[in-house]
């Protein structure tokens, strides 16, 4: 009687629409003999992309592009009118500029503003992403605390050049901003 029940149990496991290699993988509890695992090239790229230096460089590059775009955008508003009394470039006698001179001045100002903003955003992106990745690696967790701590460390590092008070203020501001962004985005 036991011999008759065993073939019935094996028949229940057979699915006529299931590919043989998939059946073998299912029954063996994992990857079947001859069934290829994940592509080693894909695994290598995933490992490289998830490393802290690469994440930091990618965030710095994105910050560079965003900062340059914002610099160009904001520089366009700064050239709206003549200099006001008390500002650099003001003179009591109006100066007549040719179109070529005005265009050259506008391009120079826009380039300077874009370069300054790009550098600032690149440094912030690089520091924040690098700090967050290192903190996540150290803690072994991926949660909202990582970005708040990384924001504090980044703000403190940026403010440290101006003194201890600026470092504390930078820490508080960047931590609060990181928390606000995480709460708004709902990422954790």
């Amino acid at each position: 009687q036991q011999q008759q029940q065993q073939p019935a149990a094996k028949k229940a496991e057979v699915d006529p629409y299931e590919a043989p290699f998939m059946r073998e993988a299912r029954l063996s509890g994992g990857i079947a003999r001859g069934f290829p695992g994940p592509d080693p090239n894909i695994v290598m790229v995933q490992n490289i992309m998830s490393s802290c230096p690469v994440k930091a460089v990618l965030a710095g590059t994105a910050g560079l592009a965003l900062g340059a775009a914002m610099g160009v955008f904001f520089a366009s508003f700064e050239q709206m009118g003549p200099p006001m009394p008390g500002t650099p470039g003001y003179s009591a006698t109006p100066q007549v500029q040719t179109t070529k001179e005005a265009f050259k001045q506008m391009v120079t100002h826009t380039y300077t503003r874009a370069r300054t903003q790009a550098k600032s955003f690149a440094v912030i992106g690089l520091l924040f992403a690098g700090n967050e990745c290192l903190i996540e690696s150290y803690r072994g967790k991926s949660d909202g605390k990582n970005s708040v701590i990384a924001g504090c460390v980044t703000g403190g590092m940026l403010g440290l050049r101006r003194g201890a008070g600026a470092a504390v203020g930078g820490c508080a501001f960047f931590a609060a901003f990181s928390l606000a962004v995480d709460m708004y985005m709902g990422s954790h």
Side-chain angles (χ1 to χ4, degrees):
Q1 202 175 19
Q2 288 178 348
Q3 290 175 350
Q4 290 175 352
Q5 287 179 349
Q6 276 183 330
K10 282 190 176 182
K11 281 187 177 181
E13 291 183 74
V14 175
D15 180 1
Y17 300 107
E18 184 176 38
F21 68 91
M22 291 301 291
R23 179 177 181 271
E24 189 176 341
R26 182 175 51 82
L27 293 177
S28 68
I31 297 175
R33 251 185 352 241
F35 187 71
D39 184 1
N41 294 325
I42 292 174
V43 172
M44 179 184 69
V45 169
Q46 287 173 339
N47 289 338
I48 290 170
M49 295 303 286
S50 65
S51 70
C52 289
V54 172
K55 284 182 179 181
V57 168
L58 289 175
T61 304
L64 186 80
L66 178 66
M70 288 181 64
V72 168
F73 179 73
F74 288 126
S76 67
F77 290 108
E78 292 171 358
Q79 297 291 318
M80 297 292 274
M84 299 299 288
T87 61
Y90 175 76
S91 85
T93 58
Q95 297 175 342
V96 178
Q97 275 185 321
T98 65
T99 304
K100 184 178 178 180
E101 290 171 340
F103 183 75
K104 183 178 177 184
Q105 181 184 4
M106 180 192 67
V107 168
T108 302
H109 177 74
T110 301
Y111 172 76
T112 303
R113 179 69 183 223
R115 187 182 70 218
T116 303
Q117 292 279 62
K119 286 193 302 186
S120 297
F121 275 76
V123 168
I124 291 169
L126 184 112
L127 286 175
F128 183 82
N131 287 331
E132 185 177 32
C133 185
L134 290 173
I135 291 165
E136 184 177 323
S137 298
Y138 178 76
R139 291 184 68 228
K141 295 179 182 177
S142 180
D143 58 11
K145 289 181 183 178
N146 294 338
S147 61
V148 172
I149 295 168
C152 179
V153 171
T154 301
M157 290 170 75
L158 293 172
L160 197 57
R161 294 185 301 184
R162 302 251 184 207
V168 170
C171 169
F173 174 77
F174 272 80
F177 186 74
S178 297
L179 179 64
V181 168
D182 276 354
M183 289 175 66
Y184 179 75
M185 299 298 279
S187 61
H188 297 287

